[in-house]
Amino acid sequence: MKIRRFDILKILLLSLVILIKSPALAQAEVITNPKTITINATRGENVTRTITLRTSEKVSNLKVITVDLLSADNSSVLPARTIKLTSPPTQINPQELISLPIQFELHNSSSGEFTGEIVLTYEAGEKTIPVIVRLKDPWPLPLTVLVLGILIGMAVSAYSSQGKLSDEVTVNLENLRTQIAADRVEARAFWSRADIYLNIAKQARDAKQIVEAQAAINNAKEVWHKWIQQRPDWDILFRYYDKLRQRLDREDLKEDTSALYIQVIERDLEQALQNAPVLTTANELQQGLDKISQQINTYIQLKTQLEKLKNLIGGLEDSNQRYEWEDKASKLTQRLYMLMPAQETEIQTLQSEINTGIEKVRVLEIQVFNEEKGIDGIPEVGMVIQAPSVLEKEALQVQFLTKTGKAIASLWETANGRLKLFYLSSYLISFTVLAGSGFNQLYWTKPTFGANGWGDYFALLALGFGAEATRNVVTQVARKADESSS
């Protein structure tokens, strides 16, 4: 019997329909929820996830297989043994919803991101569930590193604001003392003035007044620079000072130390030497010493003329006349002792009266030839010459130590309270805003913190240090703003 082609096609089509509609022959598929397991955890934790299994057909011989989870570069592994299953089912009935708890034991795991899968196998096929595990280090150590960075920053800031400046002041003190010690004798007043400033600087440094200490050191440097810059001229004038000092110590003037004139000259001479460091140039000291030398010569002239008058009086034969003129000479001597170098009019008057007395005694027609022989025609002895000239040189002006108060705008009741509140606010901002936001960014929002080893921790350390450095810069800027506005 011959079978037609059309009948064969009908038979095949009918067979296909029967196969499709037969439940026993349909392929079963397992549906999982969630489709991917993602875990963000901290090392040392135990994390449990539950997945649900569902199928439209009966599934038999179900097996759950766990595999190792690997890092992106395959350098680290999360072993399969860390993934624990609780009594996985062996079969699933149609439309039955099965819960499958999966526990991740992360006690001995390293930080980082690990990827892998869980495989479900059954008679009709298999199903894979992707797994992503991100681990980071526990928070105490990262927070400790952050705080350590802040403490290091605070230590550096404290040393920079106080310790560093104090050490610089100490070094400058020692260096400058060593430098001026070699010229202690030659520098005289310059060494004394510089040493005074250095003592002020030392006391200010010990009292933690660094600004005042630096100002005193700068003053000492200026004084010493002036000495070094014009040293030849100062040497000349100091030697001339010695000559004036020696002239005052000679016997003829030393016996007149009770005279106000000599006392004023000695005072002015010492002041001229001590004030040399505050003079602009050595030429000013030359002018001062020259004026003193003229005053000394004036006194010597007066004293010499008065001695000449006394010698002439001693040659008078008439006792009454001699007593009368001796009384006048005594009064003139007392007036000389009471004179001041600045009393130019009184000096000229006294000099005129002494010369007039000499002339009056001479005209008494007394034979005083022998007495005048060793007096007349001989100039006054022991006169001093003028101060040697020195070149005019520009020098630095010495700035004396000054203390200026800094006032801050009145926002609160007391200045002390405002300062405490300002510094407290700066620390709170540093710790909460800067350090807090950085810690959140580098640790809390980074699920694999610690995977880079020391790199992550050094980032936290730098964050803490940077937070304190930023706070210190802000406070310094605020302080400079107050100083510039005051």
Side-chain angles (χ1 to χ4, degrees):
M1 181 178 180
K2 188 175 181 180
I3 301 175
R4 293 182 298 175
R5 180 181 300 177
F6 177 75
D7 295 334
I8 295 174
L9 291 176
K10 290 175 61 178
I11 294 171
L12 291 175
L13 181 61
L14 181 60
S15 299
L16 181 61
V17 171
I18 294 172
L19 288 173
I20 293 174
K21 292 185 177 181
S22 175
L25 298 176
Q27 184 177 4
E29 180 182 2
V30 178
I31 299 174
T32 62
N33 186 32
K35 299 183 180 298
T36 301
I37 299 176
T38 302
I39 295 176
N40 294 326
T42 302
R43 287 192 304 108
E45 292 182 344
N46 287 335
V47 180
T48 301
R49 292 288 186 269
T50 301
I51 61 175
T52 59
L53 307 178
R54 183 171 54 85
T55 181
S56 59
E57 303 295 336
K58 184 177 180 179
V59 172
S60 302
N61 296 326
L62 178 64
K63 295 180 180 180
V64 182
I65 302 174
T66 59
V67 297
D68 293 343
L69 305 182
L70 301 177
S71 61
D73 57 358
N74 296 329
S75 62
S76 300
V77 62
L78 192 63
R81 66 176 179 272
T82 61
I83 305 174
K84 304 293 184 181
L85 301 174
T86 304
S87 301
T90 58
Q91 67 177 18
I92 304 176
N93 296 322
Q95 304 304 322
E96 182 182 6
L97 187 64
I98 301 296
S99 295
L100 180 60
I102 301 177
Q103 185 176 11
F104 294 83
E105 297 179 352
L106 307 174
H107 295 286
N108 299 321
S109 305
S110 59
S111 298
E113 181 175 333
F114 304 89
T115 58
E117 57 188 18
I118 296 176
V119 182
L120 305 178
T121 62
Y122 46 93
E123 287 182 349
E126 67 177 25
K127 178 72 174 181
T128 59
I129 304 174
V131 179
I132 302 174
V133 177
R134 300 186 182 97
L135 295 178
K136 62 182 177 182
D137 292 355
W139 64 266
L141 182 58
L143 181 60
T144 301
V145 173
L146 174 64
V147 174
L148 178 62
I150 294 175
L151 293 178
I152 293 176
M154 292 174 62
V156 172
S157 299
Y159 178 75
S160 178
S161 61
Q162 293 295 332
K164 177 175 176 291
L165 296 178
S166 179
D167 290 344
E168 289 178 350
V169 168
T170 301
V171 171
N172 290 334
L173 268 173
E174 294 175 353
N175 292 340
L176 196 53
R177 281 197 183 279
T178 303
Q179 181 181 354
I180 70 176
D183 287 348
R184 177 173 182 174
V185 177
E186 292 80 2
R188 303 195 188 190
F190 288 93
W191 181 90
S192 299
R193 187 61 60 91
D195 186 65
I196 291 173
Y197 283 134
L198 292 182
N199 289 331
I200 294 174
K202 182 178 181 300
Q203 294 177 357
R205 181 204 62 185
D206 295 340
K208 305 301 181 183
Q209 298 172 348
I210 305 302
V211 176
E212 289 79 0
Q214 288 179 325
I217 289 178
N218 291 336
N219 289 337
K221 288 181 178 179
E222 291 180 1
V223 169
W224 201 249
H225 177 71
K226 185 183 296 185
W227 157 254
I228 297 297
Q229 188 180 28
Q230 302 185 70
R231 178 169 181 169
D233 292 340
W234 297 120
D235 281 333
I236 293 174
L237 294 175
F238 288 165
R239 288 196 296 269
Y240 181 69
Y241 162 85
D242 292 337
K243 291 181 178 179
L244 295 181
R245 181 76 264 175
Q246 292 171 3
R247 183 64 189 89
L248 290 175
D249 291 339
R250 285 174 58 175
E251 190 65 30
D252 58 333
L253 296 182
K254 193 173 182 179
E255 63 184 11
D256 293 342
T257 53
S258 60
L260 293 179
Y261 196 104
I262 298 298
Q263 293 178 6
V264 172
I265 289 178
E266 289 181 342
R267 182 201 63 189
D268 293 344
L269 185 60
E270 291 302 320
Q271 286 184 347
L273 177 65
Q274 296 302 323
N275 291 336
V278 303
L279 300 178
T280 304
T281 63
N283 184 261
E284 294 183 17
L285 179 59
Q286 172 199 338
Q287 295 175 0
L289 294 179
D290 186 51
K291 180 179 179 181
I292 293 175
S293 67
Q294 294 175 2
Q295 293 173 348
I296 294 175
N297 288 336
T298 298
Y299 185 84
I300 293 175
Q301 290 175 348
L302 290 173
K303 183 178 178 62
T304 301
Q305 291 298 97
L306 190 55
E307 291 296 330
K308 182 186 295 186
L309 176 60
K310 291 179 179 179
N311 289 335
L312 290 174
I313 294 173
L316 293 175
E317 294 183 356
D318 188 337
S319 59
N320 292 329
Q321 291 179 341
R322 187 170 65 253
Y323 293 152
E324 180 183 356
W325 278 103
E326 285 178 351
D327 184 59
K328 292 181 180 179
S330 177
K331 292 180 180 180
L332 292 175
T333 302
Q334 291 179 359
R335 289 174 59 186
L336 175 62
Y337 281 5
M338 298 300 296
L339 277 178
M340 297 285 192
Q343 296 174 330
E344 296 180 357
T345 301
E346 288 79 356
I347 291 174
Q348 293 177 358
T349 302
L350 179 60
Q351 188 174 22
S352 176
E353 291 181 8
I354 293 175
N355 291 334
T356 300
I358 292 174
E359 294 300 326
K360 288 182 178 181
V361 173
R362 280 179 173 174
V363 298
L364 292 177
E365 297 181 349
I366 300 176
Q367 296 180 352
V368 292
F369 175 78
N370 293 332
E371 287 78 4
E372 295 185 28
K373 184 176 182 180
I375 300 175
D376 293 344
I378 300 178
E380 293 84 349
V381 294
M383 302 287 286
V384 293
I385 61 174
Q386 293 183 348
S389 299
V390 294
L391 297 176
E392 182 77 22
K393 293 184 180 180
E394 182 180 359
L396 297 175
Q397 292 185 353
V398 178
Q399 301 177 352
F400 287 100
L401 181 63
T402 59
K403 294 183 179 180
T404 57
K406 301 299 180 181
I408 303 175
S410 178
L411 298 177
W412 296 279
E413 293 183 358
T414 63
N416 187 34
R418 292 192 295 271
L419 287 175
K420 289 183 178 179
L421 183 59
F422 172 74
Y423 284 113
L424 178 61
S425 301
S426 68
Y427 279 109
L428 289 177
I429 293 173
S430 174
F431 294 154
T432 58
V433 178
L434 300 177
S437 62
F439 188 72
N440 178 70
Q441 181 179 2
L442 293 179
Y443 179 76
W444 290 119
T445 62
K446 188 174 182 179
T448 60
F449 181 89
N452 295 327
W454 284 107
D456 291 337
Y457 285 96
F458 275 121
L460 277 178
L461 188 68
L463 170 66
F465 182 85
E468 167 57 21
T470 302
R471 184 206 64 80
N472 187 47
V473 170
V474 171
T475 55
Q476 287 183 354
V477 171
R479 187 184 298 112
K480 290 181 180 179
D482 290 339
E483 292 177 354
S484 62
S485 61
S486 60

